[in-house]
Amino acid sequence: MASLSADLFYDILKRLDAAALARAGCACADFRAISNEEDLWENACTSLWPSTRQDDVRSLIVSVGGFRKFYADCFTLILNKDVPVVQTNESNFFAEEWAESDYYYYDDMDELETSLPSDFVSLIDVWYKDRALYSKVIWGIPNSDSANGWFYNYPFRIDLFQHSAENNENNNGEVFLSTINDLPSVPSIEQERKDGKLWRELNDGIKLSWIIVNRKMKRAVNLTSWHPLSGQRHWPTDTDFVLRFGSVLPAKEVLPCQVAECILLMKFHVTSMGSEEAGEPSTLALTELSMQIEDMGGVHLNGRCSLLLLKEALSCHRSRNYDEVLESCNLYLKAQSELKEEKIRSECRFDTLCIFSGITIFAAICTMCYRKF
């Protein structure tokens, strides 16, 4: 090893992906010294995330700490196990000291000034079976120009296919998946309903990365779960497939429920079923890719709360263990389901009480009338 030149070491390491490069840096002192080179990490990041290849994005990453730090921040996923336990028969799941006005409106303007929409940059990449399918960069948050306008008090949502593509020269057209991309051929929707072959391949093959970078805080985080957490077949029509990605965000200082879910929705529409005999491929079009944030009760959070949650996410705990991250997401979904069931039970108990109260009052009135006449 000592007889090999540094140039040869460099040539070896530049052929590695980021994970292998990080492991190589632990092998020996020579590899460790060379593996710290920013050029190697830039090559690794641009290979993994096509959205980082733009010159302005490269300058952004350099300004927030470099490609090595960017990879460490964004390859790991958000891990949040601090999900409140839903107590049975609990009348109020949220803290009593939180008023409704506190829940929907956050009046600490000093805190909001450190989380301006213009400080955030979104880097989005979509793959199908490890092939880059779609990339996009959004500078700032769309439709948030007015600092004291509707954005802060209305439901927060970023929809990529409603946003101008002026910063994405290579992605001005529609995005399609077909049998050319190893998508299975399906003769009809009826057959797909029976075997679900197309749905399974789509669910297993699609991968999403949604990175947000805060230029003021000089931090970045990946809000996705890499692979779908859940989905819906044939919704809202027979030819639509919806995939749901996301992460569980800490919200101890923002929401009474202390946690929230960042929901990333991806919708595909079947444009052509194709035919093997005619040589026509089955084709899916990517028609929706959006972000929104909801609390455990399913309330769609406004821009004010969402900005604060995104800011908190930049410094939250993360993990490279995908199974651990998936477990935390499932824990949140389980708690959310239990909360909904408890709310339904509470409403049923209230309805029953109202019915018995009504019957009792009616019986009392009838008794009074009977005694009177």
Side-chain angles (χ1 to χ4, degrees), residues 71-133:
Y71 176 84
D73 287 342
C74 301
F75 185 76
T76 52
L77 300 178
I78 294 174
L79 177 63
N80 188 352
K81 293 186 177 181
D82 297 329
V83 179
V85 178
V86 179
Q87 301 294 332
T88 305
N89 298 326
E90 185 176 12
S91 60
N92 184 15
F93 174 69
F94 304 126
E96 294 180 358
E97 60 269 20
W98 283 76
E100 183 176 1
S101 59
D102 297 326
Y103 182 50
Y104 289 104
Y105 302 100
Y106 195 88
D107 296 327
D108 190 347
M109 294 307 297
D110 292 336
E111 184 76 10
L112 287 172
E113 286 178 0
T114 64
S115 307
L116 296 176
S118 58
D119 295 333
F120 290 92
V121 180
S122 294
L123 310 179
I124 303 101
D125 294 285
V126 180
W127 301 267
Y128 178 71
K129 294 187 176 180
D130 296 327
R131 296 180 183 178
L133 178 65

Side-chain angles (χ1 to χ4, degrees), residues 131-145:
R131 296 180 183 178
L133 178 65
Y134 177 78
S135 294
K136 194 163 190 175
V137 179
I138 300 180
W139 297 87
I141 295 178
N143 304 318
S144 61
D145 298 336

